[in-house]
Amino acid sequence: MQYRRFGKTNLHLSVFSLGTMRYLADKENARHTIAKALALGVNHIETARGYGKSEEYLGSAIKGGLSASRSQIHITTKISPTIDADSMRRCINDSLERLNLDYVDCLGIHGLNTWEHLQWVQAKGGCMKAVHEALNDGRVRHVGFSTHGSLDVIIAAINTDLFEFVNLHYYYFFQRNAPAIQLAAEKDMGIFIISPADKGGRLYTPPQMLRNLCQPYSPLALNYRFLLSDHRVTTLSVGAANPHELIEPLQVADNDSQLTLSETLVLQKLEQYQKAALKTEQCSQCYACLPCPENINIPEVLRLRNLAVAYDMKEYGKYRYGMFENAGHWFPGMKANRCTECGECLPRCPEKLNIPALLDDAHEKLSGKNRRRLWE
């Protein structure tokens, strides 16, 4: 296992962190999953107040005794932004009680996703007042934020200089947040990548076409290598539902060097294949088409279509597309069938795409079961 400095926190975290959103089956399963992660060299466990019984299960494992001392294990919990300090005080105290801890190494403002959330954390007497009290008395050692928000919200949140680390989405198949990665690195913030296996493309169950294109590597390992070769990134979340699911990801935990020529050639082949498959229908993800009068997240819909057409990543596309209109600010936007063909997006598109037609095709390809956030 390799370890990296988590920005200005000066904590040294394992390049893989145990994310606890998926070990919710029962308390014993959680305990075994935590023990296996620690045995494999993971020294950072990330949970959240909103992850069902995750804090409680982690607290039970802590109370029962772990294989490493408290000083060797770094624990992060996350709490959603609140409009007032009193609510945040109660949440911090409740989380510490459930975790059986006197302090957490890191507290993340969970889901700083909207401009309203940003206003809450910047308001005098708001939730950050309680966070700073906890920092001052030692119950919290470092503070950061997690986000599923738009790039402009993320950039603005980083520029508040209130935070020491950021948890965000960034993968080979989703590089929209690259400017946020760069800005966070310039500000010496720790960078934690959210769910690279699942949100990064459901790469633990890739379609055969993608498997073939990534040979001799697995799509999952290649995405991990893409991220670990970037030394601005500190750590990647592994949301293991059981101990066994830690094995495959951690096989690359010692390989954080630059991409090899062979790996680079495979990534170039993926890019070339996508261009050839999509021809004149490829969305370049420039976001110039927004805003949409019907609040359709056009670039994200067309990104999912890109992946479905080019790499047969239809199951991943259906999984993400089904969250539109069902996950609130965690995954905002209306479904593509809301398009009225008003044409406002057409002159903005530098590729001159027939966006209404592509939206219609995306909806036909990706419509399926509506989905909510995993912990819901």
Side-chain angles (χ1 to χ4, degrees):
M1 179 68 70
Q2 297 294 308
Y3 301 84
R4 293 181 179 175
R5 177 177 170 272
F6 197 38
K8 65 186 72 174
T9 71
N10 283 318
L11 299 173
H12 282 78
L13 304 186
S14 47
V15 294
F16 284 94
S17 296
L18 177 63
T20 61
M21 191 167 71
R22 295 182 62 242
Y23 73 5
L24 303 178
D26 58 67
K27 191 180 296 185
E28 278 302 295
N29 178 66
R31 184 174 66 83
H32 289 304
T33 305
I34 292 166
K36 183 66 172 179
L38 295 178
L40 291 171
V42 171
N43 73 348
H44 179 224
I45 303 173
E46 190 230 26
T47 184
R49 178 178 172 83
Y51 292 172
K53 293 186 176 182
S54 173
E55 285 185 331
E56 178 185 331
Y57 289 172
L58 176 53
S60 176
I62 291 170
K63 187 175 182 179
L66 300 176
S67 59
S69 68
R70 175 67 182 93
S71 64
Q72 296 174 307
I73 302 171
H74 306 304
I75 294 175
T76 295
T77 196
K78 306 190 297 295
I79 299 173
S80 297
T82 62
I83 198 169
D84 64 281
D86 284 343
S87 296
M88 181 58 74
R89 286 190 194 99
R90 287 193 296 271
C91 289
I92 292 172
N93 290 334
D94 288 348
S95 287
L96 288 171
E97 183 176 352
R98 279 197 291 268
L99 289 165
N100 282 305
L101 292 175
D102 297 323
Y103 72 93
V104 289
D105 299 274
C106 297
L107 173 67
I109 302 300
H110 191 194
L112 208 165
N113 298 337
T114 69
W115 291 110
E116 183 180 40
H117 293 155
L118 192 58
Q119 290 174 353
W120 291 357
V121 301
Q122 291 181 293
K124 288 186 177 180
C127 59
M128 293 304 289
K129 180 180 179 182
V131 172
H132 289 141
E133 291 170 0
L135 285 166
N136 290 335
D137 65 26
R139 287 174 296 142
V140 169
R141 300 291 170 85
H142 306 283
V143 62
F145 71 98
S146 71
T147 181
H148 296 229
S150 60
L151 178 60
D152 53 352
V153 170
I154 299 172
I155 293 291
I158 291 171
N159 276 326
T160 65
D161 293 322
L162 291 170
F163 304 106
E164 298 173 89
F165 64 89
V166 58
N167 300 10
L168 77 171
H169 296 281
Y170 177 71
Y171 325 108
Y172 175 73
F173 290 119
F174 178 77
Q175 298 182 40
R176 169 67 175 170
N177 288 335
I181 295 284
Q182 181 57 30
L183 180 61
E186 290 170 1
K187 289 182 174 288
D188 195 26
M189 295 175 69
I191 297 173
F192 178 108
I193 302 300
I194 298 171
S195 189
D198 186 65
K199 306 299 190 302
R202 277 202 158 182
L203 299 178
Y204 44 82
T205 54
Q208 189 61 47
M209 180 184 291
L210 187 59
R211 289 178 188 268
N212 294 342
L213 287 168
C214 290
Q215 289 294 330
Y217 310 102
S218 73
L220 181 61
L222 197 63
N223 187 48
Y224 285 147
R225 285 287 295 124
F226 169 78
L227 293 167
L228 290 178
S229 68
D230 186 342
H231 280 247
R232 298 171 302 176
V233 171
T234 308
T235 187
L236 317 178
S237 175
V238 177
N242 55 63
H244 179 74
E245 290 187 0
L246 290 163
I247 304 302
E248 183 179 359
L250 298 192
Q251 287 178 349
V252 297
D254 280 327
N255 189 0
D256 68 344
S257 58
Q258 290 185 342
L259 290 172
T260 65
L261 176 60
S262 175
E263 290 166 337
T264 300
L265 289 174
V266 171
L267 293 177
Q268 290 175 351
K269 181 171 71 173
L270 285 172
E271 184 177 349
Q272 292 164 1
Y273 191 88
Q274 179 172 252
K275 287 179 179 178
L278 289 162
K279 299 183 175 66
T280 59
E281 295 182 347
Q282 181 175 0
C283 172
S284 67
Q285 299 290 283
C286 70
Y287 280 63
C289 55
L290 297 181
C292 168
E294 302 304 320
N295 195 31
I296 299 168
N297 189 339
I298 298 170
E300 181 62 9
V301 172
L302 296 189
R303 181 182 77 91
L304 298 175
R305 182 185 181 276
N306 283 352
L307 298 177
V309 172
Y311 308 125
D312 198 31
M313 294 172 67
K314 291 178 183 176
E315 291 308 309
Y316 169 67
K318 290 177 181 178
Y319 159 55
R320 297 300 281 171
Y321 187 77
M323 292 178 66
F324 284 125
E325 305 182 27
N326 290 286
H329 59 76
W330 295 98
F331 199 69
M334 307 302 285
K335 292 186 176 178
N337 63 337
R338 304 284 186 171
C339 176
T340 62
E341 300 188 23
C342 69
E344 286 194 21
C345 56
L346 295 175
R348 303 189 200 130
C349 178
E351 281 84 30
K352 305 303 179 185
L353 298 177
N354 185 345
I355 293 174
L358 294 178
L359 290 176
D360 183 65
D361 184 65
H363 184 73
E364 182 178 346
K365 284 181 168 64
L366 304 177
S367 291
K369 183 179 179 181
N370 292 336
R371 296 179 181 273
R372 296 185 181 274
R373 298 287 296 157
L374 182 59
W375 66 79
E376 297 171 339

